[in-house]
Amino acid sequence: MDTMNTQYRTINACEIEMPGPSCLVIFGASGDLTRRKLMPALFRLFASGMLPERFFVLGTGRDRIGADQFRSTMLAAVKEALPGPFDRKAWDEFSARLYHTAFDYRDPEAYGPRLRDLLPRLENEHQTQGSRIFYLAVPPEVYEDIIRNLGAAGLAREGMGSSRIVIEKPFGRDLDSCRRLNRTVHEQFQERQIFRIDHYLAKETVQNILMFRFANSIFEPLWNRRYVDHVQITAAETLGVEHRAKYYESSGVLRDMFQNHVLQLLAIIAMEPPPAFEADLVRDEKAKVFRSLRPFTLDRLEDSVAIGQYDAGRIGASPVPGYREEEGVSGTSTTPTFAAMKVYIDNWRWNGVPFYLRSGKRLASRRTEISIHYKQVPHSMFPNSVGDPIDPNTLVLRVQPNEGMSLAYQVKLPGSKVCLNPVVMDYSYPTGAELTAYEWVVLDCMLGDHMLFTRQDGVEQTWSLLTPVIEKLEAMMTADRIPRYASGSAGPPEAARLLAQDKRQWRPL
Ligand code: BG6
């Protein structure tokens, strides 16, 4: 990549590097992801001066539309995604960099000669010096065709500029398909050219966990089995399956949220400090966590995994339908929309400390957080104090919403002789200046920084932990056996039981 004209932009006294000239080829330009996430992210970056002047986007898709129609469709999409004041001047400049070409992903001719000839012409016009990013915003069924065809047309080769490929999740649907996809992509691209997205890693507050842990000296000495009783990770949503039934029916919560986002959060919380804040060093430490995860005991799965499916109920004041009543969902579906699990990390730091993970749709609140529950004091010297036994300290890292962190501890209640009062020290993360997850993803890919992307070993390790669990659950689950929970609740009773058997409770949702 050309970094000769490296510039920096200051945001809250931090510097963000300006990427060099580049083009972005989007496969799936008329899809949901492009309209809702990618194009608004690109436009916001452009409007705030974080994209280079020498930049253009080539959208590809089935529709036979020209640049003008593509630009007006994208304008509508961006306005919908970014309500509020609209910078028309910035849009005019940005949209002059948008192009579209009709494309059949499975047709090799579309890549070479067509795409191979079209790109240099646009690159010449925009002086982007041959650096290319191919972004797969298409259904996973066509990933392998696109990757092979790009390779066969010589478009994966790096010449004057870089050639990178961005792959959205799901990265495979089990260990075998993940390995096959990794093999296919490695036949054409090298690992340093591959950017596998996990948008949770690009959330500011997830990145903040690393700063919080490793830029403060007071927490790390307490971050281990000597002081921590257990850890809870929650990714709760109030939304249902929305219009994604086709995908979700063949996925379910374990593939959709656990294999990627939830296990990535776990790795960031549990990993050892890397020697430096560099992508591969951080990913090495995460891979060690994944390698240390204790495999589930499949014939006693109910001791460590609970699943459920949402029924009708209420989210706030509004009635909502059950999962099986959603459009496109089978009336006898056994797809889990909720899961909770207990995992152990078999290493020195975490030996014997349970990590309880849960995620689900249509729960009582939208909340992603990690809570570190410290041990009880070893001996209570305050007899008859109110709140006996004393509530242990809890450190909560809130990923969303109300981003921030809090620490609960005990103080003396003023005026009383011996009376303890739990109080909370709270910090709310300032919002407004932050980049959205997709803005980070685009920017870092253009910069060639892999910190926010997953690596081959990491995705294979997480699939290898979960594939046997998913297969076992799929084999034994029937329509009348899958536990149900009311929309707007905290999930099925089985989830509460998972902690109750260890004499613990989930934090309320
Ligand atoms: C996606 C899942 O990866 O993450 C969705 O496919 C889920 O099912 C979404 O709703 C949650 O992301 P966020 O950023 O809204 O927490």
Side-chain angles (χ1 to χ4, degrees):
M1 189 187 63
D2 174 29
T3 50
M4 288 210 334
N5 297 323
T6 302
Q7 295 170 31
Y8 291 91
R9 189 181 148 75
T10 301
I11 289 192
N12 295 344
C14 293
E15 287 178 333
I16 295 185
E17 195 181 332
M18 169 80 87
S22 168
C23 88
L24 181 66
V25 180
I26 304 177
F27 293 98
S30 47
D32 212 41
L33 179 71
T34 305
R35 279 185 283 113
R36 289 198 309 128
K37 303 280 189 192
L38 204 47
M39 205 49 78
L42 285 165
F43 176 58
R44 257 188 37 128
L45 286 174
F46 183 84
S48 48
M50 291 159 108
L51 289 186
E53 277 289 306
R54 290 184 281 156
F55 167 76
F56 71 92
V57 176
L58 174 63
T60 74
R62 296 236 156 75
D63 303 340
R64 304 211 150 268
I65 54 171
D68 286 346
Q69 200 179 335
F70 183 54
R71 289 170 188 169
S72 60
T73 317
M74 290 303 121
L75 173 62
V78 168
K79 279 187 164 171
E80 192 182 330
L82 304 174
F86 186 73
D87 187 343
R88 185 70 212 203
K89 187 165 167 288
W91 174 261
D92 290 342
E93 285 173 31
F94 174 72
S95 67
R97 292 169 167 80
L98 301 184
Y99 300 89
H100 188 273
T101 181
F103 213 84
D104 175 355
Y105 303 123
R106 298 205 151 105
D107 174 14
E109 294 282 297
Y111 300 78
R114 276 192 22 236
L115 186 58
R116 206 180 44 212
D117 291 348
L118 175 60
L119 276 177
R121 270 192 278 137
L122 293 172
E123 285 168 343
N124 198 24
E125 192 177 328
H126 290 272
Q127 294 290 298
T128 55
Q129 301 176 343
S131 288
R132 298 164 177 173
I133 298 173
F134 299 104
Y135 197 118
L136 305 193
V138 284
E141 304 84 80
V142 281
Y143 284 179
E144 298 192 38
D145 283 317
I146 295 178
I147 293 164
R148 279 201 199 94
N149 283 325
L150 282 173
L155 290 164
R157 269 200 304 275
E158 305 201 284
M160 283 268 293
S162 56
S163 171
R164 299 184 176 138
I165 185 146
V166 183
I167 306 179
E168 278 282 341
K169 74 166 252 275
F171 199 88
R173 65 182 320 276
D174 54 21
L175 181 58
D176 284 348
S177 53
C178 166
R179 283 188 173 144
R180 198 176 53 240
L181 182 53
N182 269 329
R183 264 197 310 276
T184 306
V185 72
H186 277 140
E187 277 160 19
Q188 316 298 341
F189 293 87
Q190 302 194 26
E191 185 64 30
R192 65 176 167 74
Q193 297 174 272
I194 307 167
F195 292 76
R196 299 177 194 80
I197 294 188
D198 185 309
H199 80 278
Y200 265 54
L201 291 178
K203 287 181 190 280
E204 290 254 3
T205 37
V206 172
Q207 298 171 49
N208 180 49
I209 295 171
L210 289 179
M211 316 285 154
F212 176 79
R213 283 190 60 193
F214 301 131
N216 294 296
S217 61
I218 61 172
F219 300 108
E220 206 48 26
L222 310 178
W223 211 264
N224 56 51
R225 59 189 292 269
R226 280 188 72 183
Y227 299 97
V228 176
D229 175 72
H230 74 280
V231 176
Q232 296 185 16
I233 301 181
T234 295
E237 299 183 80
T238 48
L239 288 178
V241 69
E242 297 179 283
H243 48 276
R244 298 164 71 222
K246 183 164 176 273
Y247 151 74
Y248 202 84
E249 272 287 83
S250 66
S251 165
V253 69
L254 291 171
R255 293 188 177 92
D256 187 49
M257 292 293 292
F258 278 75
Q259 180 271 331
N260 34 66
H261 311 323
V262 176
L263 287 178
Q264 289 293 333
L265 292 178
L266 169 80
I268 284 177
I269 283 295
M271 70 188 228
E272 295 300 315
F277 192 55
E278 287 169 18
D280 265 326
L281 298 175
V282 170
R283 298 193 300 178
D284 286 346
E285 295 306 331
K286 289 199 293 180
K288 286 187 206 159
V289 173
F290 296 138
R291 268 203 297 276
S292 313
L293 287 170
R294 189 184 298 173
F296 289 91
T297 310
L298 293 179
D299 51 8
R300 304 230 14 115
L301 214 45
E302 62 285 4
D303 293 348
S304 45
V305 179
I307 57 170
Q309 188 185 69
Y310 66 81
D311 258 336
R314 281 182 178 277
I315 297 291
S318 318
V320 291
Y323 179 68
R324 290 178 189 176
E325 286 115 56
E326 302 271 20
E327 201 184 320
V329 174
S330 151
T332 54
S333 171
T334 55
T335 304
T337 59
F338 174 97
M341 58 178 66
K342 170 163 76 166
V343 300
Y344 284 102
I345 300 172
D346 286 335
N347 64 15
W348 271 54
R349 186 190 281 262
W350 294 116
N351 190 277
V353 178
F355 283 70
Y356 298 100
L357 321 176
R358 69 178 157 167
S359 177
K361 294 199 179 287
R362 287 278 193 241
L363 293 173
S365 60
R366 172 175 180 252
R367 180 177 306 186
T368 300
E369 66 170 34
I370 297 148
S371 50
I372 317 288
H373 299 253
Y374 285 93
K375 292 191 171 173
Q376 295 271 0
V377 290
H379 163 68
S380 174
M381 58 183 236
F382 307 109
N384 311 321
S385 71
V386 176
D388 197 15
I390 301 171
D391 279 348
N393 302 114
T394 312
L395 175 69
V396 181
L397 307 173
R398 299 187 301 269
V399 172
Q400 63 187 22
N402 188 16
E403 294 78 358
M405 54 199 58
S406 68
L407 177 65
Y409 57 100
Q410 302 288 334
V411 295
K412 179 182 181 301
L413 196 63
S416 59
K417 188 138 190 256
V418 180
C419 189
L420 291 171
N421 189 31
V423 291
V424 173
M425 202 155 62
D426 194 275
Y427 168 73
S428 282
Y429 204 75
T431 50
E434 77 278 19
L435 298 187
T436 64
Y438 273 87
E439 286 162 21
W440 275 119
V441 161
V442 169
L443 206 54
D444 274 4
C445 178
M446 290 176 76
L447 289 165
D449 182 348
H450 279 92
M451 181 75 78
L452 308 179
F453 300 86
T454 57
R455 201 170 59 183
Q456 174 188 4
D457 50 354
V459 279
E460 291 187 6
Q461 285 154 352
T462 49
W463 274 124
S464 101
L465 176 79
L466 289 183
T467 300
V469 176
I470 294 172
E471 283 174 355
K472 170 97 193 213
L473 288 170
E474 283 177 352
M476 64 189 240
M477 210 39 76
T478 55
D480 51 351
R481 275 184 77 187
I482 184 159
R484 316 283 284 275
Y485 59 97
S487 286
S489 70
E494 285 76 1
R497 226 172 284 142
L498 204 61
L499 266 74
Q501 72 190 359
D502 297 341
K503 305 200 169 28
R504 298 187 176 104
Q505 283 180 359
W506 289 107
R507 276 174 52 79
L509 278 181

